Amino acid sequence: MLRGVGLTANQEQIYLLLVRRGPTSVARLADRAGLGETRVRREVSALVREGFVHLTPAPEERVVPVPPELAVEQLVRRRRDELERARDAARRLADEAYRPPGSRRTEELIEIVVGRAAVGRAFERVQLAASREMRVLVAPPYAIPKAVNRTQLERQAAGVVYRAVYDRSGLDDADFAGTVATHLRSGEQARIVEALPTKLAVGDRALALLPLAWTTSAHDAALLVHPCGLLDALVALFETVWTQATPLAPAGADGLSGDPTITDEDRQLLSLLVAGLTDEAAGARLGMSRRTVVRRVQQLMERTNSRSRLQLGWHARERRWL
C-alpha cells in the first residue's frame, strides 16, 4: 500500500498497525509486529525521519502515527523539492558539459534521434532548453499524442513565450482543434497557413528539432540541431512562415479589439474563414450551420460596408478584430 512512497515492508507493517490499533510502546509494537524490539526501534526511527510517526516524551514513550493524508502529503512535498534540486543540478551540469558553439566539433552540432519515444523526449528537451521563446511549426502526422502539451503550459507559466504556426489541415481534426484552443487560451500566440514546408521546434537559439522525413515514419527519426548556421537558417524559416501566416484567435480572447460590436464568436469565425476554411468547416468548428455562417458573414459585411469577403478581411485587420 505504501511501498510506492518509499517505505519498506516492515515500516509499512508497523505504520499500518499504529493507524489501525492506535499509539503504543515500542515493546508492545514489537509483539504485534512479530519483530525484535531492536529492529522495531530502528524502523520507528526511520518512520520518524520520514514524518509518518512521532514519539511522546519519556518515561512513558509511545509511538504515535501521523494521519496518513498529512504524512503522505509531507513526503510528496519533500520528494518534489528533492526532484527540483536534482533538476537544477542537472541544468548546472549541462551548462558545464556543453561547450560553446565555437568549440564544438562538427559531429557534435547535429544529433540523430531514432524511435518515437526518443523523438518525444527530444521535443521535451527542446522545450526545456528555451528560457525566453519557443517557435513551433505544427502539422500532422504528430510525433506525440494530440493531447494538451502540459510542458508548454508549465513553461508558459514560467515566462516562456510560445509562438506556433499550424497547418490548416491539422484543424480538420476536432480533437486537435480543441487542444489548440486550450493552448491559445493559455497564452500561446498562434497563426495558420494553408500548408507548412516542414515541422519544426526551436527553443530560443539553443536547440531545434527537425524531422528527417515528413511522412508517417517521421515520428521515428529526427535531428536535434545545436547552435550553428543550420539553426540560424531554421529560425529564419520560422520567421518567414510566421510573417506570411494568418493570426488565429480563440473564442474569448482578450485584448484583440476595443470594438464592443464584434463578439468573440464572430472574431473566431473571421479567423477561421481568413485562414482558408470553408463555410461548412468553420461552422462545424463553431457548432453552427452553413446557413448561419453565411448570415453572420453577411451581417459583418454590412457592418463594415464591405462588398466582398476579401474587403471584409481587410476591414477586420484594420479594426483589429484579428
Side-chain angles (χ1 to χ4, degrees):
M1 184 183 299
L2 296 174
R3 305 283 182 86
V5 297
L7 298 190
T8 66
N10 287 336
Q11 290 165 4
E12 180 183 61
Q13 178 190 11
I14 291 169
Y15 180 68
L16 293 179
L17 282 171
L18 290 167
V19 170
R20 290 166 178 165
R21 303 183 66 175
T24 188
S25 65
V26 171
R28 183 167 296 178
L29 187 57
D31 289 337
R32 290 176 180 175
L35 300 171
E37 187 172 334
T38 302
R39 180 64 177 274
V40 168
R41 188 170 292 279
R42 186 164 60 245
E43 300 293 9
V44 166
S45 296
L47 288 170
V48 170
R49 289 194 300 272
E50 293 295 338
F52 280 83
V53 303
H54 65 86
L55 299 175
T56 62
E60 296 183 4
E61 184 182 69
R62 291 163 63 85
V63 186
V64 181
V66 174
E69 67 277 14
L70 297 180
V72 173
E73 179 62 25
Q74 291 172 6
L75 183 62
V76 168
R77 290 181 181 177
R78 287 200 301 275
R79 294 288 188 270
R80 186 184 298 133
D81 291 342
E82 291 169 0
L83 289 172
E84 284 298 329
R85 288 195 293 271
R87 176 184 286 175
D88 291 340
R91 288 173 178 167
R92 289 194 298 271
L93 182 60
D95 290 339
E96 296 176 10
Y98 296 148
R99 290 175 291 179
S103 66
R104 286 182 180 271
R105 295 192 299 270
T106 302
E107 62 269 24
E108 293 179 314
L109 297 177
I110 296 176
E111 299 178 43
I112 299 179
V113 182
V114 179
R116 180 171 300 193
V119 172
R121 289 193 298 270
F123 181 52
E124 289 286 298
R125 184 174 163 188
V126 172
Q127 293 185 87
L128 295 175
S131 60
R132 297 182 300 278
E133 181 179 42
M134 271 293 298
R135 302 172 172 95
V136 288
L137 302 181
V138 187
Y142 304 104
I144 57 176
K146 294 176 290 185
V148 173
N149 184 349
R150 297 296 173 188
T151 301
Q152 173 175 340
L153 302 186
E154 293 172 3
R155 301 300 290 150
Q156 286 182 166
V160 177
V161 174
Y162 272 68
R163 286 196 289 152
V165 181
Y166 292 94
D167 188 287
R168 189 197 62 78
S169 63
L171 297 184
D172 290 337
D173 185 307
D175 292 336
F176 185 68
T179 297
V180 172
T182 298
H183 291 161
L184 289 169
R185 286 192 291 269
S186 74
E188 177 184 273
Q189 301 174 28
R191 296 188 178 187
I192 189 170
V193 294
E194 184 64 27
L196 286 172
T198 185
K199 295 190 289 185
L200 178 67
V202 184
D204 290 343
R205 288 180 177 266
L207 197 61
L209 183 66
L210 179 71
L212 277 177
W214 193 352
T215 64
T216 53
S217 62
H219 307 154
D220 301 323
L223 299 178
L224 268 174
V225 183
H226 294 270
C228 62
L230 176 58
L231 181 56
D232 293 339
L234 293 174
V235 171
L237 170 64
F238 174 88
E239 294 299 340
T240 298
V241 174
W242 176 265
T243 301
Q244 298 172 354
T246 301
L248 185 61
D254 295 325
L256 291 179
S257 171
D259 190 343
T261 63
I262 180 74
T263 66
D264 293 329
E265 194 171 55
D266 282 341
R267 183 184 293 114
Q268 189 177 26
L269 174 60
L270 282 172
S271 179
L272 294 173
L273 294 176
V274 170
L277 271 69
T278 63
D279 290 352
E280 291 84 354
R285 290 292 172 279
L286 300 175
M288 61 178 65
S289 66
R290 179 182 180 280
R291 179 177 297 180
T292 301
V293 170
V294 172
R295 176 174 54 80
R296 298 284 282 270
V297 171
Q298 185 62 40
Q299 290 172 348
L300 290 170
M301 290 175 63
E302 292 174 357
R303 189 180 308 169
T304 57
N305 294 318
S306 300
R307 297 183 178 180
S308 67
R309 290 193 175 192
L310 180 62
Q311 194 174 24
L312 173 61
W314 183 84
H315 280 297
R317 286 289 187 91
E318 286 294 300
R319 299 183 182 208
R320 298 183 66 246
W321 287 352
L322 297 176

